[in-house]
Amino acid sequence: MRGEASVLHLDLDAFFAAVEQRDKPSLRGKPVVVGGIGLRGVVATASYEARAYGIRSAMPASEARRRCPHAAFLAGRHDLYREASAVVMDILRALSPAVEPLSLDEAFVDLRAAPEPVDLSTAGLTDLVDTLRSAVFTGTGGLTASVGVGTSKFIAKIASELAKPDGARVVAPGSEVALIAPLPVSVIPGVGPVTAEKLHRIGLDRVADLKQVGPDELRQLVGFTHAAELARLAQSEDDRPVVAERETKSISVEDTFEVDVVDATRLGEVLDGHARQVAARLRAAHLFARTVTIKVRQHDFVTHTRARTLLGATNRPELISEVARSLLAGTDTTAGVRLLGVGVAGLTGILQENLFDSPAPVDADVDAPVDVTATPAGHPQPDHSEPPKLHRGRWPWRPGADVRHEEHGPGWVWGAGLGRVTVRFETRDTPPGPVRTFRADDPRLTARYAP
Ligand SMILES: [Mg+2]
């Protein structure tokens, strides 16, 4: 535990649902559930309006629908969530380079690591947090964050939780124990339902109650390691450091050959293999690349690096390979190659593939799950007997997805099924818009990745 309140915790409020309400004016102030699509889905995020019906994260979709049938159930637009998250993380990194993201919508910041000394008085921190929360609101186009500041990660996180939604709380040094004493034991990290139940059975419900038991009794109850940690945290003693996560700036794969390679076909195959590995790592990191590079070391150890920046960003192995091959074609390899590598840079969380970058017609992400069972906002139930393969290649017809109609402009999928798709024509910057229904194969309707 530090002598000063220099650990900050920021958590965006009902993040996925808030992004949907930001971009879909007709859903503002309404129950919105992201996830919970399909029959076996679970809820990813519920808007505060949906939480009023008892809907919670990780609840089965069926139960969420039973509790609030008129909520909008949306598939989620993870590219947009990553984009908003990147804006917020950048704002935090401007505050201090020591930012430890816990998820897309949550991070710790170590204010001690700020380049300029921060005024860590309660008044100074209150100003800093106000400025931070309005920067997040403006930078993301209207998302709210709750922020807590304290002498440790434990206290900062509890403070932001107590401030939710759209609030802030600075916990002055020395007031930690009083803050946590009345809270349920489950606020202590590591106290899950099982431990909480064990403690409850002997009458320990609040953090303050833990003082009633001696260390031996606590050890018998929750185990040796856990007991020590629990006792420390109950006294708000927490020294866990904020560990900055280094941002992935590039990904590359290279191979040194035992014997210099001259055969152009073989070199092409090596590039293909490297491109597949790079693409797999991009996909695993949920990233897309704007720049493709190759590294070629000649027999005489002269090393060339060549790069091409695409018009868009991709994670497709065929495209990365195609660009790598064309870069290699512009390099003299006739005397033999000792080392060959493929890399990508200019990484982004957003797919911005440009058709002009494509060597072949784009096979739009047909491997994305297709769902025709969801019906947001009380739309008539679709016919589940319809084979989803009718929509293969038209996966954007997932509830909540962004689309554009030649005549009516940008909108989002309100519901789909029975060979039809219903679109609400509105965007972040318009008032709530009208709903129209089209044939699912209407050629005037196309997918839209960004607003
Ligand atoms: Mg959150």
Side-chain angles (χ1 to χ4, degrees):
M1 193 166 72
R2 302 173 176 197
E4 80 291 318
S6 55
V7 180
L8 181 148
H9 180 257
L10 177 140
D11 192 351
L12 293 160
D13 303 318
F15 177 46
F16 295 173
V19 172
E20 298 305 332
Q21 290 178 322
R22 176 195 70 185
D23 296 349
K24 298 173 168 64
S26 63
L27 298 183
R28 292 175 195 161
K30 303 263 172 60
V32 173
V33 177
V34 177
I37 296 295
L39 299 173
R40 286 183 302 277
V42 293
V43 173
T45 309
S47 71
Y48 281 92
E49 296 84 356
R51 291 179 195 192
Y53 292 85
I55 299 178
R56 296 283 179 270
S57 297
M59 178 180 279
S62 50
E63 188 179 346
R65 281 173 196 270
R66 189 177 55 72
R67 285 175 183 257
C68 187
H70 67 282
F73 288 85
L74 307 175
R77 300 173 301 150
H78 291 268
D79 47 353
L80 273 292
Y81 309 153
R82 277 191 294 265
E83 183 184 51
S85 174
V87 168
V88 173
M89 296 302 165
D90 281 348
I91 290 170
L92 294 178
R93 285 190 195 96
L95 207 56
S96 161
V99 173
E100 179 180 342
L102 300 177
S103 62
L104 280 180
D105 71 325
E106 207 187 324
F108 285 114
V109 183
D110 189 348
L111 297 175
R112 264 190 192 167
E116 302 286 325
V118 172
D119 174 2
L120 297 173
S121 70
T122 300
L125 287 169
T126 303
D127 283 352
L128 176 139
V129 170
D130 281 351
T131 311
L132 171 64
R133 294 194 330 111
S134 28
V136 167
F137 187 85
T138 312
T140 58
L143 301 184
T144 62
S146 297
V147 175
V149 191
T151 49
S152 67
K153 282 182 161 180
F154 175 41
I155 294 300
K157 188 162 163 106
I158 284 181
S160 72
E161 195 59 43
L162 291 172
K164 276 191 163 296
D166 195 13
R169 183 141 182 181
V170 176
V171 181
S175 65
E176 298 89 350
V177 176
L179 175 82
I180 59 176
L183 300 178
V185 289
S186 56
V187 301
I188 298 177
V191 177
V194 175
T195 305
E197 177 57 33
K198 280 184 194 162
L199 296 171
H200 171 71
R201 264 187 254 135
I202 55 161
L204 307 178
D205 293 313
R206 313 266 152 205
V207 175
D209 299 339
L210 292 171
K211 274 190 291 193
Q212 298 166 14
V213 285
D216 291 341
E217 199 180 346
L218 201 57
R219 270 198 288 274
Q220 276 175 13
L221 214 56
V222 299
F224 187 82
T225 335
H226 205 163
E229 173 82 357
L230 205 67
R232 269 200 305 274
L233 287 170
Q235 292 304 309
S236 103
E237 287 166 23
D238 172 25
D239 288 321
R240 291 172 298 161
V242 176
V243 181
E245 188 185 71
R246 277 183 50 207
E247 221 185 329
T248 310
K249 297 255 198 271
S250 66
I251 293 173
S252 63
V253 174
E254 59 183 44
D255 255 336
T256 304
F257 305 119
E258 282 179 26
V259 180
D260 293 354
V261 176
V262 184
D263 179 15
T265 310
R266 166 100 195 277
L267 291 173
E269 286 165 3
V270 170
L271 288 180
D272 290 347
H274 287 351
R276 278 195 297 273
Q277 289 179 54
V278 165
R281 285 170 58 185
L282 280 172
R283 283 171 195 237
H286 304 288
L287 291 169
F288 303 89
R290 289 198 194 88
T291 301
V292 176
T293 60
I294 62 162
K295 182 169 158 187
V296 185
R297 182 165 298 150
Q298 317 269 29
H299 67 104
D300 55 2
F301 282 91
V302 173
T303 305
H304 301 282
T305 305
R306 300 171 61 93
R308 180 174 305 156
T309 296
L310 307 172
L311 297 171
T314 189
N315 65 359
R316 288 195 302 126
E318 315 85 69
L319 180 54
I320 294 166
S321 182
E322 180 78 15
V323 175
R325 279 169 169 268
S326 79
L327 289 170
L328 186 68
T331 312
D332 182 10
T333 57
T334 48
V337 173
R338 180 170 293 260
L339 173 152
L340 188 58
V342 174
V344 288
L347 305 185
T348 164
I350 315 294
L351 173 71
Q352 300 162 321
E353 214 162 58
N354 189 303
L355 293 180
F356 296 107
D357 282 330
S358 284
V362 178
D363 186 16
D365 277 1
V366 288
D367 51 345
V370 174
D371 193 287
V372 294
T373 63
T375 52
H379 194 57
Q381 278 294 320
D383 179 1
H384 290 177
S385 65
E386 183 175 4
K389 67 174 163 25
L390 287 182
H391 296 282
R392 258 188 113 63
R394 307 300 302 263
W395 68 271
W397 300 177
R398 286 154 44 109
D402 293 310
V403 293
R404 174 181 294 280
H405 188 276
E406 266 177 30
E407 282 163 43
H408 304 292
W412 57 277
V413 174
W414 201 57
L418 294 167
R420 309 213 156 247
V421 54
T422 299
V423 176
R424 190 183 276 279
F425 290 99
E426 62 182 5
T427 68
R428 195 185 295 194
D429 306 314
T430 68
V435 165
R436 290 179 207 280
T437 298
F438 307 92
R439 285 174 52 114
D441 60 359
D442 191 325
R444 296 169 300 174
L445 209 51
T446 49
R448 190 166 61 92
Y449 283 109

